[in-house]
Amino acid sequence: MTETADGRVEPVVAAALGRAVLLGRALVTVATAAAGLAVADDRPYRLVVLIVVLVVASAAQIAVLTRWPRVVAHPVAILAAEAVLLFAVLALSRGGVPYFVHAAGSAALAGVLLGAAAWPLWTAQAAQGYAVCVTILRETRPDAAVAVYLVAAPVAGVLAGVAAAIAARALIRQMRLNVMRVAIAQRDAAALERARLARELHDSVAKTLRGMSLAAVALPGSVRRQPALAEQLAGAISEGAAAASLQARELLEGLRLDSPDEALEVTLDRLCGRFSARTGIDTSAQVHVTDLPVPVRYELTRIAHEALTNIERHANAGRVTVTLALTRRGRAVTLTVRDDGDGFTMPADLLTLQDLGHHGIVGMAERARTIGGGLEVVTRPGRGTSVHVQVPLAGSTT
């Protein structure tokens, strides 16, 4: 059994399949031996010993594969032990049904460990099985129906090996595809995170720094000729530095708001908990979504943070509820931030709010648009405010 590039997938899959084969073989072989014990009329102690040997050997094999799954990378030792055990089963069962069941399980285990390369082992086991069949036919001379089933037993063992090899190959291929999909998703998430961070820097800190740079270029020439202008430029640079520091701090705080590795419910609970501890406002989060694409969950978390900030500054609220849920058919996700505060008169045009210096709602609307969604604000003076954001999803999310 060769390993994949990361050295992890195939040993784990082969070990899991091997444990399943060993467990199934042990159960069926012990059951057939127990059935033989029930009808045996001479020296049944052999079957008792066989059952004990099968239970002990199977438990040891399963324990080894569970504790050290990478042992499947060295199948020779495993199959050598299997050959010894198979001869022991043959001797104790005297070529009975337990032997043929155990041989089929051994062929399946070889198929899991070696794949199609196990054909020499399957051939040897089939030859051994036919030799046992000939001996049984000569000694017992069963009727024709029993003889047919007896002769078919070695072929059934080979078919079990082939089926196990095909199943192992298919499962390993599927595991490889899953690992590849996860790796691609991680790379895409990293690329999206870099693009988002670049956009955040461009929209905030970079613009402020450019303004400071222009003021700094004009400052030296204005110091002697236009002292008043130089003073204004110096003030602009100072204000720009403070603004850039604030924007960088807000950006870093925004990056810390959401960690894609933790559950979304945990993120929003933490956000609401910190807001409540800081403001004393009773705040709760109700999350009915287990996972979302990284860009969507990031922007929704930032929108929830901005909505809470607006409530702290303007709403005079006593209770806030943050709700995140899917629409009825699971085609979109909806974020709702509702407070029981003062409310306000919502203008028809958001630009009016921006002209008045209220940039929070405008920023939330822009964030919603970046992920293909839309924002709606429902408010009336004295009746509180509800901020609704709905974002369509490419596929259903649970």
Side-chain angles (χ1 to χ4, degrees):
M1 178 70 66
T2 58
E3 292 189 6
T4 55
D6 62 8
R8 295 187 298 272
V9 173
E10 291 195 16
V12 172
V13 174
L17 286 176
R19 290 195 299 269
V21 169
L22 290 171
L23 180 59
R25 184 188 66 180
L27 292 175
V28 177
T29 307
V30 169
T32 55
L37 183 63
V39 299
D41 53 5
D42 63 330
R43 297 182 179 180
Y45 68 88
R46 291 182 298 100
L47 295 178
V48 174
V49 174
L50 174 60
I51 292 173
V52 173
V53 169
L54 287 174
V55 171
V56 173
S58 298
Q61 289 173 311
I62 293 173
V64 169
L65 289 180
T66 301
R67 181 66 178 84
W68 300 287
R70 285 186 174 275
V71 74
V72 299
H74 308 284
V76 175
I78 297 176
L79 295 178
E82 271 294 302
V84 174
L85 182 59
L86 183 60
F87 276 106
V89 173
L90 174 60
L92 291 171
S93 68
R94 293 184 176 180
V97 176
Y99 162 73
F100 289 104
V101 172
H102 190 87
S106 295
L109 183 62
V112 169
L113 297 177
L114 298 176
W119 69 265
L121 186 59
W122 297 335
T123 303
Q125 287 185 352
Q128 183 186 51
Y130 279 117
V132 173
C133 288
V134 170
T135 301
I136 294 175
L137 291 174
R138 286 178 178 176
E139 293 180 354
T140 62
R141 297 187 179 279
D143 56 39
V146 174
V148 169
Y149 285 111
L150 190 63
V151 172
V155 177
V158 174
L159 293 177
V162 173
I166 293 173
R169 184 176 180 180
L171 185 56
I172 289 171
R173 184 185 298 114
Q174 185 61 44
M175 289 293 292
R176 286 176 176 173
L177 291 175
N178 290 341
V179 170
M180 187 181 301
R181 290 192 186 102
V182 170
I184 291 173
Q186 289 175 340
R187 289 196 296 270
D188 289 346
L192 288 170
E193 183 71 5
R194 288 193 297 270
R196 182 197 54 75
L197 181 57
R199 186 181 70 249
E200 295 276 4
L201 289 171
H202 176 271
D203 292 343
S204 57
V205 181
K207 289 182 178 179
T208 303
L209 293 177
R210 280 198 298 271
M212 292 171 58
S213 176
L214 293 175
V217 169
L219 181 59
S222 304
V223 170
R224 294 183 179 179
R225 294 191 301 269
Q226 296 177 294
L229 177 59
E231 183 178 354
Q232 293 178 1
L233 292 174
I237 294 173
S238 176
E239 293 174 359
S245 175
L246 177 61
Q247 290 164 355
R249 185 166 61 252
E250 290 178 346
L251 178 59
L252 291 175
E253 289 177 355
L255 291 175
R256 297 189 188 103
L257 283 178
D258 182 37
S259 173
D261 295 331
E262 72 177 4
L264 190 54
E265 182 177 6
V266 174
T267 298
L268 290 179
D269 278 340
R270 184 178 66 251
L271 179 64
C272 291
R274 289 178 178 176
F275 174 80
S276 182
R278 185 177 68 252
T279 63
I281 299 174
D282 184 13
T283 308
S284 62
Q286 300 174 7
V287 181
H288 307 290
V289 181
T290 58
D291 197 13
L292 289 172
V294 173
V296 174
R297 63 175 284 163
Y298 172 79
E299 296 296 352
L300 289 180
T301 304
R302 291 299 303 271
I303 291 172
H305 177 263
E306 184 61 37
L308 292 175
T309 301
N310 284 350
I311 292 171
E312 180 181 1
R313 292 173 178 172
H314 310 295
N316 192 29
R319 179 171 178 78
V320 177
T321 302
V322 178
T323 305
L324 187 66
L326 295 175
T327 56
R328 180 173 299 179
R329 296 186 178 181
R331 296 178 179 176
V333 61
T334 300
L335 170 71
T336 302
V337 181
R338 181 177 291 108
D339 69 73
D340 62 353
D342 296 337
F344 60 96
T345 300
M346 183 68 184
D349 189 353
L350 290 180
L351 293 179
T352 304
L353 290 174
Q354 190 168 5
D355 294 338
L356 296 174
H358 302 297
H359 302 285
I361 294 178
V362 177
M364 288 188 284
E366 291 176 350
R367 288 188 179 278
R369 284 195 294 270
T370 62
I371 50 177
L375 178 139
E376 179 185 12
V377 178
V378 179
T379 181
R380 289 176 58 186
R383 302 293 296 272
T385 301
S386 295
V387 175
H388 303 279
V389 179
Q390 183 165 300
V391 181
L393 299 175
S396 61
T397 306
T398 58

